[in-house]
Each structure stands twice: as C-alpha cells, then as structure tokens.
Amino acid sequence: MAASGAVEPGPPGAAVAPSPAPAPPPAPDHLFRPISAEDEEQQPTEIESLCMNCYCNVRRGRGRERRGMTRLLLTKIPFFREIIVSSFSCEHCGWNNTEIQSAGRIQDQGVRYTLSVRALEDMNREVVKTDSAATRIPELDFEIPAFSQKGALTTVEGLITRAISGLEQDQPARRANKDATAERIDEFIVKLKELKQVASPFTLIIDDPSGNSFVENPHAPQKDDALVITHYNRTRQQEEMLGLQEEAPAEKPEEEDLRNEVLQFSTNCPECNAPAQTNMKLVQIPHFKEVIIMATNCENCGHRTNEVKSGGAVEPLGTRITLHITDASDMTRDLLKSETCSVEIPELEFELGMAVLGGKFTTLEGLLKDIRELVTKNPFTLGDSSNPGQTERLQEFSQKMDQIIEGNMKAHFIMDDPAGNSYLQNVYAPEDDPEMKVERYKRTFDQNEELGLNDMKTEGYEAGLAPQR
C-alpha cells in the first residue's frame, strides 16, 4: 500500500519576504556548526514571512493577510554532513510547518538503511530523510515513494506518525462519499499505530539514491547489529530521477609518464565551497603497489584534506591484516587504508565500517587518533539527549585508546579489505613480521555484490555489443 499523500496537513509552504531587521549572517568558517544542545552561539536565523494559510483564507474571502516567522538553522550532523533545518509558524492562525534540505552535493553512491526495530528504544533513533528517499515496511507491504514528502529531521516514530497523518488527511471526505477504501485505510492506520508500540518486530528500510539520508547508531562506537548500511551504484532511472545528466565520454589523452609529476586541478573547498586547488601524485609503496594521493588546501578558510585511491585493480582475493600492538614503536608503521577497508580492535569492542574516514595514507598512530576524534566528538552522545552511562563509556574508550597509542596497553589491530588494496608496513621486510599476520581469503557473494563485481563482465563482452553496432 502506498502513501503518496503522506504529508503534513496545511498549505505546501510559506512565501518568504525580507525582514526589516534580519539577523546578521554568520562568518563563513562557522556557517555549518555541529548540532549540539550545549552550543549557545548556534541560533537560528529568523525571517518574517507571508503565511500561506492566511493568504488562502483571504482568497476565499475570509480573514486578512497575516505574516508568520520562518526560522533557518544551518547545522552539521555527526557521522553525516551539513543540512538546513527550516521551520515556519504563524501566531495568528496557528499553522506550522517544518522540513529539512541537504546542504551538500548528491553523493557518488546511493545508500540504503535497513533497520530491525525490536524495542521501543529503536523508535527514538534520529532519522534524516531527504525528498528523494523512499521508505518501506515490508511486513505491511507499505511504501512512501520518493518525492512524495518533504525532507525531515525526525525519529523512527516520527516517520510513522507522519504517515498516519497523511493517510488520515482525506478520511472525512472519503467517509462522506461512502468510499469503500475509507474502511480499508482505517484498518491499515490501526496497524501503523500498533507498530508505534512495537507489538512485534518489524523492518524499516530507507532507500535514498542521492546518498543524503541518515539513521542514527545509538551504540557508537560499537557496531549496531540492528542496522545494515548498504552503498550502491545508481541505475540510469535513478540518475534521471535526480536530474543527473550523463557526462560525455572524455577523449583519450596521450599516454604520459605521470610518476614524477604532481598534477593540479581546480575544485571547491568542502567546508566553505570557495575555489581551491587539489594536488594529485602517483606514489609507489615499497613491497605493495602504486597508489594515488590527493591533497586539497583551501587558502580561504585554511581547511586541509587528503585522500588516497588505489592505483590498481581489485585484487583476486581479499586481505585481512592482523597486527599485535606490543610497543609504542608500532605507532610509526606506515599504513594505507582504502575506502573498502574496515578496521576492528577486539579489546575495545570497536569496529569501523567501510567508507568511514575514507581512504588514508598515514601512520598507525595517525589513524588511531582520527578514530578517537571521530568517536569522542559525537554531539549525539553528549548533552541532555545522551543516555545514562554513555558519556562514561566514551571516556573509557578514549582512555584505552590513549593507552594503546602510548604503548601501555597491548591490543590487536585488524584491517579487513575485501578489495585487497590496503597495506600495513612490515618493519622486518623482506623477512616475516612476528607480530603481523597477513591472510588472503576468497570473497563472499555479498562482498562481491557490494564491490559491484557480480554484474561485471570482463570476458566475451565485445560479442554482446557487436549486433548493436
């Protein structure tokens, strides 16, 4: 059953008019501040706006034109990206409306969140649902299609409540017309209300081709067994739905030896969106392979970033590297983490999934510090919204991570890369390292599916193209 009309009651939006005394815009480097209940400087921008509900009443010959207040909050969600939260309210007629918009670009891949809701606590998970995201509950054969609702920053319970409101919106008219579907919709609404009480487990799927939706993991930094995140390549229909045009095939340039050159190309800063330059260099790692290192330095805001891409193909076998950290000298080992590599530290019950932190060419100490900063600076685990004991667990995690970095605590560091494009330095090379174990394994079907290898045809593909020429 589809709920294409699952929208909040009232007119579609408010027309914004300039305020006589608008709030001063924030500085460019603080335009998108991390969302936090403790940040007193993070205040929304207020704009006086025309209330469309009052305007519609004027058109019908009732009431007169009134103005309400639109509030805009530019913020950044941890483990996610920048969003714009907008809210409108009219004190004259009582109408209000809220929605969110992604402030970033459409991502390179789509994302699908599959959440198994088993307890009432799961209903409180934070959810960012964009316009292009479709929501499904397979147990009820229920779907909210893409572009049928405005984007929202809400919870799992809020998504279901919003769907119920949309289905109830036209029920009085259906009952007045004695429409046969009114009774069936009433029965279905009862089932949705039962889901809010989690009378039985159910599955919530949010599929967003733009890659800009998000579902909170309340157990961070531990792995969430109830939440499965899948990144996938968009289909041509999804590209057209998002308004993306296929790029014209680039002309094949003449082959050049780029190993001794640093290439530069223009881009935009991911923080302030100002023009910047990205440097790219092809580097040969001893006892490994070639990699591409890209570094961006913004002269406008000072933001710096670096990223590493594999210079070769996907390896025939996956790689699992296990290092037993026994001394502080292990922190100086060179490390290459590709985007397809996951990291695990069993002693801390910690697991870092693929694509998190991106590709990095650094040292073991540098990666551990990045992990510590990523986990401990999560605003969702701080302030009034944090669960009791969660702050203590984060402090304990940070202390143990510091002990590992200083060499005062032994631990195992595991890198698992199904593509086989990650590397950890062997300080005893070319001899075997007694503290490091390198395993090669055959990928599973699911791993090949996530890498896009199951549908890749590398032999005999020219024969299939011949009749089309």
Side-chain angles (χ1 to χ4, degrees), residues 3 57 73 98 113 123 133 139-140 195 197 212 235 248-249 344 347 360 369 382 391 429-430 459:
N57 290 333
L73 179 64
T98 60
Y113 290 89
M123 303 297 289
E139 287 80 359
L140 298 184
L195 291 185
Q197 305 301 323
N212 286 325
T235 63
E344 183 179 357
E347 287 76 6
K360 281 189 173 292
K369 287 184 177 180
L382 304 174
T391 304
E459 297 180 358

Tab-separated table of all heavy atoms in Angstrom, residues 3 57 73 98 113 123 133 139-140 195 197 212 235 248-249 344 347 360 369 382 391 429-430 459:
chain	number	residue	atom	x	y	z
A	3	ALA	N	1.664	5.378	0.291
A	3	ALA	CA	1.169	6.569	0.984
A	3	ALA	C	1.743	7.789	0.322
A	3	ALA	O	2.524	8.523	0.890
A	3	ALA	CB	1.529	6.518	2.466
A	57	ASN	N	-6.984	31.896	2.998
A	57	ASN	CA	-8.263	32.334	3.557
A	57	ASN	C	-8.696	33.673	2.960
A	57	ASN	O	-9.898	33.934	2.761
A	57	ASN	CB	-8.164	32.441	5.080
A	57	ASN	CG	-8.042	31.083	5.733
A	57	ASN	OD1	-8.511	30.082	5.196
A	57	ASN	ND2	-7.396	31.029	6.891
A	73	LEU	N	18.067	27.019	10.354
A	73	LEU	CA	19.227	26.590	11.133
A	73	LEU	C	20.151	25.790	10.231
A	73	LEU	O	19.772	24.741	9.710
A	73	LEU	CB	18.790	25.746	12.332
A	73	LEU	CG	19.927	25.211	13.221
A	73	LEU	CD1	20.663	26.376	13.882
A	73	LEU	CD2	19.388	24.264	14.280
A	98	THR	N	7.515	22.223	9.139
A	98	THR	CA	8.962	22.022	9.277
A	98	THR	C	9.451	21.121	8.149
A	98	THR	O	8.716	20.247	7.684
A	98	THR	CB	9.322	21.364	10.620
A	98	THR	OG1	8.682	20.084	10.704
A	98	THR	CG2	8.895	22.227	11.790
A	113	TYR	N	19.386	2.102	4.186
A	113	TYR	CA	19.434	1.763	5.614
A	113	TYR	C	18.342	0.731	5.894
A	113	TYR	O	17.160	0.977	5.616
A	113	TYR	CB	19.205	3.003	6.481
A	113	TYR	CG	20.325	4.001	6.453
A	113	TYR	CD1	20.349	5.016	5.514
A	113	TYR	CD2	21.373	3.936	7.371
A	113	TYR	CE1	21.385	5.950	5.468
A	113	TYR	CE2	22.407	4.858	7.349
A	113	TYR	CZ	22.396	5.861	6.393
A	113	TYR	OH	23.420	6.765	6.366
A	123	MET	N	12.537	3.257	18.408
A	123	MET	CA	11.649	4.276	17.852
A	123	MET	C	12.200	5.685	18.053
A	123	MET	O	11.747	6.633	17.413
A	123	MET	CB	10.261	4.180	18.496
A	123	MET	CG	9.593	2.832	18.348
A	123	MET	SD	9.256	2.387	16.643
A	123	MET	CE	7.946	3.525	16.262
A	133	ALA	N	14.250	10.141	-0.819
A	133	ALA	CA	14.300	8.843	-0.136
A	133	ALA	C	12.935	8.178	-0.148
A	133	ALA	O	11.908	8.823	0.064
A	133	ALA	CB	14.794	9.013	1.300
A	139	GLU	N	6.766	-5.794	6.207
A	139	GLU	CA	5.762	-6.593	6.913
A	139	GLU	C	4.340	-6.141	6.611
A	139	GLU	O	3.406	-6.956	6.656
A	139	GLU	CB	6.006	-6.545	8.422
A	139	GLU	CG	7.222	-7.343	8.900
A	139	GLU	CD	8.527	-6.618	8.696
A	139	GLU	OE1	8.505	-5.471	8.157
A	139	GLU	OE2	9.583	-7.160	9.049
A	140	LEU	N	4.145	-4.868	6.308
A	140	LEU	CA	2.813	-4.340	5.983
A	140	LEU	C	2.650	-4.070	4.490
A	140	LEU	O	1.598	-3.570	4.071
A	140	LEU	CB	2.548	-3.044	6.756
A	140	LEU	CG	2.540	-3.121	8.283
A	140	LEU	CD1	2.173	-1.777	8.886
A	140	LEU	CD2	1.571	-4.189	8.762
A	195	LEU	N	2.443	-0.519	15.235
A	195	LEU	CA	3.897	-0.502	15.044
A	195	LEU	C	4.560	0.466	16.010
A	195	LEU	O	5.679	0.217	16.478
A	195	LEU	CB	4.240	-0.118	13.598
A	195	LEU	CG	3.892	-1.106	12.495
A	195	LEU	CD1	4.413	-0.595	11.159
A	195	LEU	CD2	4.485	-2.476	12.785
A	197	GLN	N	3.897	0.982	18.998
A	197	GLN	CA	4.052	0.324	20.293
A	197	GLN	C	4.999	-0.871	20.232
A	197	GLN	O	5.258	-1.505	21.246
A	197	GLN	CB	2.679	-0.149	20.798
A	197	GLN	CG	1.632	0.952	20.878
A	197	GLN	CD	2.044	2.081	21.794
A	197	GLN	OE1	2.669	1.840	22.836
A	197	GLN	NE2	1.706	3.319	21.422
A	212	ASN	N	21.974	10.988	0.735
A	212	ASN	CA	21.977	12.055	1.736
A	212	ASN	C	21.046	11.788	2.915
A	212	ASN	O	20.806	12.690	3.708
A	212	ASN	CB	21.602	13.389	1.091
A	212	ASN	CG	22.738	13.955	0.254
A	212	ASN	OD1	23.903	13.793	0.597
A	212	ASN	ND2	22.403	14.578	-0.854
A	235	THR	N	21.030	3.322	-10.664
A	235	THR	CA	20.627	2.907	-12.002
A	235	THR	C	20.404	4.145	-12.871
A	235	THR	O	20.387	5.283	-12.379
A	235	THR	CB	19.326	2.087	-11.938
A	235	THR	OG1	18.275	2.923	-11.423
A	235	THR	CG2	19.492	0.888	-11.005
A	248	ALA	N	29.656	13.422	-21.049
A	248	ALA	CA	30.151	12.995	-22.355
A	248	ALA	C	31.488	12.284	-22.188
A	248	ALA	O	32.316	12.687	-21.359
A	248	ALA	CB	30.319	14.204	-23.274
A	249	PRO	N	31.703	11.193	-22.915
A	249	PRO	CA	32.971	10.468	-22.774
A	249	PRO	C	34.150	11.363	-23.149
A	249	PRO	O	34.150	12.041	-24.175
A	249	PRO	CB	32.821	9.296	-23.758
A	249	PRO	CG	31.741	9.721	-24.714
A	249	PRO	CD	30.816	10.608	-23.939
A	344	GLU	N	39.036	-3.085	12.951
A	344	GLU	CA	38.476	-3.677	14.165
A	344	GLU	C	39.550	-3.727	15.249
A	344	GLU	O	40.714	-4.043	14.974
A	344	GLU	CB	37.942	-5.083	13.879
A	344	GLU	CG	37.280	-5.745	15.075
A	344	GLU	CD	36.741	-7.124	14.741
A	344	GLU	OE1	36.831	-7.528	13.564
A	344	GLU	OE2	36.243	-7.801	15.667
A	347	GLU	N	39.828	-5.668	21.582
A	347	GLU	CA	39.944	-5.330	23.001
A	347	GLU	C	39.025	-4.164	23.393
A	347	GLU	O	38.632	-4.048	24.556
A	347	GLU	CB	41.388	-4.981	23.353
A	347	GLU	CG	42.349	-6.162	23.405
A	347	GLU	CD	42.759	-6.665	22.029
A	347	GLU	OE1	42.372	-6.011	21.025
A	347	GLU	OE2	43.451	-7.678	21.930
A	360	LYS	N	43.004	6.637	3.412
A	360	LYS	CA	44.038	7.380	4.140
A	360	LYS	C	45.395	6.703	3.959
A	360	LYS	O	45.502	5.472	3.987
A	360	LYS	CB	43.708	7.462	5.637
A	360	LYS	CG	42.662	8.510	5.993
A	360	LYS	CD	42.535	8.688	7.487
A	360	LYS	CE	41.611	9.848	7.812
A	360	LYS	NZ	42.190	11.150	7.411
A	369	LYS	N	44.332	8.135	16.145
A	369	LYS	CA	43.907	9.451	16.622
A	369	LYS	C	42.679	9.941	15.860
A	369	LYS	O	41.786	10.568	16.445
A	369	LYS	CB	45.052	10.456	16.494
A	369	LYS	CG	46.165	10.242	17.522
A	369	LYS	CD	47.231	11.325	17.418
A	369	LYS	CE	48.293	11.140	18.509
A	369	LYS	NZ	49.356	12.177	18.428
A	382	LEU	N	26.381	13.438	23.722
A	382	LEU	CA	26.663	14.408	24.766
A	382	LEU	C	25.408	15.204	25.079
A	382	LEU	O	24.415	15.123	24.384
A	382	LEU	CB	27.804	15.345	24.330
A	382	LEU	CG	29.121	14.675	23.934
A	382	LEU	CD1	30.091	15.701	23.389
A	382	LEU	CD2	29.740	13.949	25.102
A	391	THR	N	28.301	8.685	28.356
A	391	THR	CA	29.472	9.549	28.464
A	391	THR	C	30.625	8.814	29.126
A	391	THR	O	31.790	8.943	28.702
A	391	THR	CB	29.117	10.814	29.254
A	391	THR	OG1	28.017	11.480	28.629
A	391	THR	CG2	30.307	11.757	29.321
A	429	ALA	N	60.647	-6.359	6.752
A	429	ALA	CA	60.718	-6.736	5.336
A	429	ALA	C	62.176	-6.770	4.862
A	429	ALA	O	62.988	-5.924	5.251
A	429	ALA	CB	59.905	-5.751	4.509
A	430	PRO	N	62.514	-7.765	4.014
A	430	PRO	CA	61.630	-8.762	3.377
A	430	PRO	C	61.349	-9.999	4.236
A	430	PRO	O	60.708	-10.924	3.764
A	430	PRO	CB	62.411	-9.145	2.129
A	430	PRO	CG	63.839	-9.002	2.530
A	430	PRO	CD	63.886	-7.829	3.476
A	459	GLU	N	34.987	-10.832	-19.719
A	459	GLU	CA	35.344	-11.686	-20.848
A	459	GLU	C	34.131	-11.864	-21.750
A	459	GLU	O	33.010	-12.086	-21.278
A	459	GLU	CB	35.834	-13.058	-20.362
A	459	GLU	CG	37.116	-12.990	-19.525
A	459	GLU	CD	37.552	-14.365	-19.062
A	459	GLU	OE1	36.828	-15.341	-19.364
A	459	GLU	OE2	38.604	-14.473	-18.411
